[in-house]
Amino acid sequence: MPVTWYCHSKFVVFDLGRHPVKIIITPTLRLIVLALCSFGFVGCSQGEDRLEVAAPVYEEPPKLHATLEEASDRLRIPPAGARIEIRAQQREFLIGEEVILDYVVHNDSASGFSFEYGGDYRGTPRATSFEVRGVDASGKRVLDPHPIMMGFGGFAGRMEVPAGESRAFTINLLDYQLIDSTGWHAFEVTHRSLRTIPQPKNLTGTIELYFKHPDPEEAEALVRALPKTLRPTGSVEQSARNLRKRYLQLRSPAYIPALMKAVESGRANGLHGIGGIETPEATRVLIKLTRDPNPIFARLARKLLLNRIPLPSDDHKARWTENLLLPMERKRMAARSWLPEFTAELRAIAYEALKNADEPEGEIDAAFIFGGLGDKQDSRFVIDQVARWLHRPIQQEYQSSPKILDWPPEMEAWLLCTKSLFERGQLARIDVQPEAYGFIQLHLFRTRTKIRLDLPRNQHLRLMGSDNLWIKEAVLHSPPEDILPEFDTVVAAGLSDPRRRIQFAAIGAAEFAKIPDIKAQLSEIIETAEDRWILRSLSNTTRRIGFDFNILQAWTTQLDESPFHLIALDGLQQVFEPTLGGGGGRTDSSPEELNAIQAAWVELLAAKESELQAGKSISRSDPLVTKALFGRARSWRLADGSTWPE
């Protein structure tokens, strides 16, 4: 059944002779149609594209700037006859107006070709297969709004392009380029499957577009129409996120009056729109909105201001704060929208946020603000907050898995705050809170800040003797440069501590301690451990301190239970020479398979006991080293790119 289709359109037309059927397309349906086409289950033809619009008369568009980076993808052989064309519905746009580009792949040859597509959409704000680079009217590189992204792949396939035909994809330019300047802009669009080094002109799609700020009437009309123009996609939550993203893409300060009207009418997205405008003017408006009579809007304005605060490093991730941009995006936002005159007002906002005891988010936001803007006087207050959290009742969940690596969000916020204060030279040394100050020093040392541990010996020893959960953990995570005998005592006691959090930290510190029977203690813990975090720490530590025959035997006891068998195999692989690198594992091994793997390891260790007792490794080429040691459960990638065992 022939199908006329457009990847970017709102519908698919099934050509049934005199009775064509038009179906509204959803992302899922679009993916199904593309897959059916690419695999040949459905005959496809690209419908005509009537997007040709006469270009307005302007000054000459700029050419792509010479400083644009060369594509760095791996070398690919371009399909013979492939040609890329970039189309837009018009040549002139308002800044903030949605810019839909058609990426059209033409086949001008006498034979067909195919290319990979998809696998680029899960967990990302845009399709990562496409790369867009541009310059503005002055020749300045247009910024990427999302310079760092996480991706989780997705369905992928191959797109067939028969001779003389074409295939089109669509992208929203504002997902790839932060456009907030006027005049002509030139853009280059490439696709990862059609990118080569060097890039021939026929595979480089370019387009020139003109942007201008909206006048007040245009701005108000566009903002008012946004909720009506966005196409519903996926779940209600996803549609809401897409609408919020469109508000964030407005970018021009000309929209601020219209967005303020949206806020006054009760639309929170108006606030998000102001939060996406990277100018000092927008910062002033957000500061004013922290005093909004609607407490929800006041809190949201405060949170959006956090993106504009200059921070000394990228480490202040504050994963527990909503609406926070990634570090590189925050750094860009601060450079473009922050003025020193805002500091006093933000510090006042921080102290005000702490007054409401019913709002824990206020404490987190205040810590963030003090970290970026606080002075030495503020740091005394911050140290008091750390002391308060040190002696609060500790929730049981933080003493065992799965939260043995986590902190209460407010406590972590204050610790990150002290790190930022220290890096800015604003962390005051005080004697009225020696325990809290010592704990902060241990935390700074743990986070590998370039400092020497600024603790007198007697104070360090007092901290080592503390039974406070947080302090004892910090002691174990921060071994002194000149290892003290007292530190060995703390590690030995921590290995048998019933609190999993302390045991986990002690296992990590074991490689630094000078404990005669440390390997025997670790072997005993391996055999009895029933926690994956504890076992993972044991696997890492035993590999670092060097293998021991008793440790190897202990690891075989964990091979008969999934998913611990993968950690056990990591602990056992250290016996091989040369050492192994990264690899992959499977969690679906049956009990029978795990028993067979365990038996193979017991047999190997028995045969090689004398050599292993002497500290000798086992060559991977040894006849006794077979695939039976790993089954389907584990494999490694070797330096030459091959997989072992094969």
Side-chain angles (χ1 to χ4, degrees), residues 220-264:
E220 188 166 346
L222 195 151
V223 170
R224 190 169 54 248
L226 275 183
K228 304 173 185 177
T229 56
L230 197 68
R231 300 188 298 272
T233 56
S235 64
V236 174
E237 293 80 6
Q238 183 60 48
S239 296
R241 284 195 293 270
N242 289 343
L243 180 58
R244 180 181 302 174
K245 182 172 75 171
R246 279 295 295 121
Y247 276 89
L248 288 168
Q249 291 173 339
L250 294 177
R251 305 297 183 185
S252 171
Y255 289 104
I256 291 179
L259 291 169
M260 284 297 294
K261 288 183 179 180
V263 173
E264 291 164 3

Side-chain angles (χ1 to χ4, degrees), residues 105-107 109 111-115 159-167:
V105 183
H106 296 283
N107 185 355
S109 69
S111 59
F113 63 81
S114 66
F115 61 93
M159 178 67 69
E160 299 289 338
V161 188
E165 297 190 18
S166 60
R167 297 290 183 262

Side-chain angles (χ1 to χ4, degrees), residues 104-340:
V104 187
V105 183
H106 296 283
N107 185 355
D108 298 335
S109 69
S111 59
F113 63 81
S114 66
F115 61 93
E116 296 177 358
Y117 74 99
D120 61 354
Y121 57 87
R122 284 182 182 157
T124 66
R126 66 194 189 202
T128 57
S129 292
F130 292 95
E131 179 182 326
V132 182
R133 298 174 295 171
V135 293
D136 62 16
S138 66
K140 185 179 179 182
R141 180 78 174 266
V142 180
L143 296 174
D144 184 339
H146 310 289
I148 295 179
M149 295 180 295
M150 293 183 63
F152 301 95
F155 288 109
R158 295 197 67 82
M159 178 67 69
E160 299 289 338
V161 188
E165 297 190 18
S166 60
R167 297 290 183 262
F169 296 88
T170 184
I171 62 171
N172 180 1
L173 180 63
L174 302 188
D175 290 340
Y176 298 81
Q177 299 280 270
L178 196 162
I179 299 170
D180 58 3
S181 61
T182 60
W184 279 103
H185 291 59
F187 302 99
E188 178 183 279
V189 186
T190 57
H191 189 280
R192 68 182 179 196
S193 295
L194 297 171
R195 190 163 53 220
T196 62
I197 302 175
Q199 186 82 350
K201 290 184 177 180
N202 64 310
L203 289 180
T204 300
T206 61
I207 191 169
E208 292 81 32
L209 301 172
Y210 191 87
F211 293 91
K212 66 176 185 177
H213 289 295
D215 60 34
E217 292 77 18
E218 290 171 327
E220 188 166 346
L222 195 151
V223 170
R224 190 169 54 248
L226 275 183
K228 304 173 185 177
T229 56
L230 197 68
R231 300 188 298 272
T233 56
S235 64
V236 174
E237 293 80 6
Q238 183 60 48
S239 296
R241 284 195 293 270
N242 289 343
L243 180 58
R244 180 181 302 174
K245 182 172 75 171
R246 279 295 295 121
Y247 276 89
L248 288 168
Q249 291 173 339
L250 294 177
R251 305 297 183 185
S252 171
Y255 289 104
I256 291 179
L259 291 169
M260 284 297 294
K261 288 183 179 180
V263 173
E264 291 164 3
S265 65
R267 290 155 59 189
N269 277 328
L271 256 170
H272 286 289
I274 297 171
I277 299 171
E278 301 184 0
T279 65
E281 180 184 356
T283 305
R284 290 190 185 93
V285 173
L286 289 174
I287 291 174
K288 177 182 177 181
L289 287 170
T290 61
R291 298 184 288 273
D292 192 275
N294 183 335
I296 296 176
F297 284 6
R299 286 196 295 270
L300 178 56
R302 186 181 69 216
K303 289 186 174 299
L304 293 172
L305 280 168
L306 301 185
N307 289 317
R308 298 163 184 260
I309 296 174
L311 288 170
S313 73
D314 292 343
D315 293 337
H316 207 134
K317 299 180 180 62
R319 64 176 184 273
W320 17 253
T321 301
E322 293 183 27
N323 302 302
L324 201 65
L325 299 175
L326 293 174
M328 283 188 66
E329 297 172 29
R330 292 205 308 272
K331 188 176 291 186
R332 179 197 72 219
M333 178 79 81
R336 307 177 85 210
S337 65
W338 182 260
L339 296 176

Side-chain angles (χ1 to χ4, degrees), residues 8 12 47-48 105 144 174 205 208 219 269 273 357 369 372 383 493 498 509 531 588 597 637:
H8 61 277
V12 173
E48 285 187 26
V105 183
D144 184 339
L174 302 188
E208 292 81 32
N269 277 328
I369 293 171
I383 294 171
D531 182 286
D588 61 347
I597 292 173
R637 180 72 64 178

Side-chain angles (χ1 to χ4, degrees), residues 45-73:
S45 63
Q46 174 68 47
E48 285 187 26
D49 202 327
R50 297 182 177 86
L51 298 180
E52 298 177 3
V53 177
V57 179
Y58 296 111
E59 66 272 18
E60 183 66 20
K63 302 303 180 183
L64 282 172
H65 200 262
T67 59
L68 285 180
E69 298 174 0
E70 291 293 334
S72 60
D73 203 1

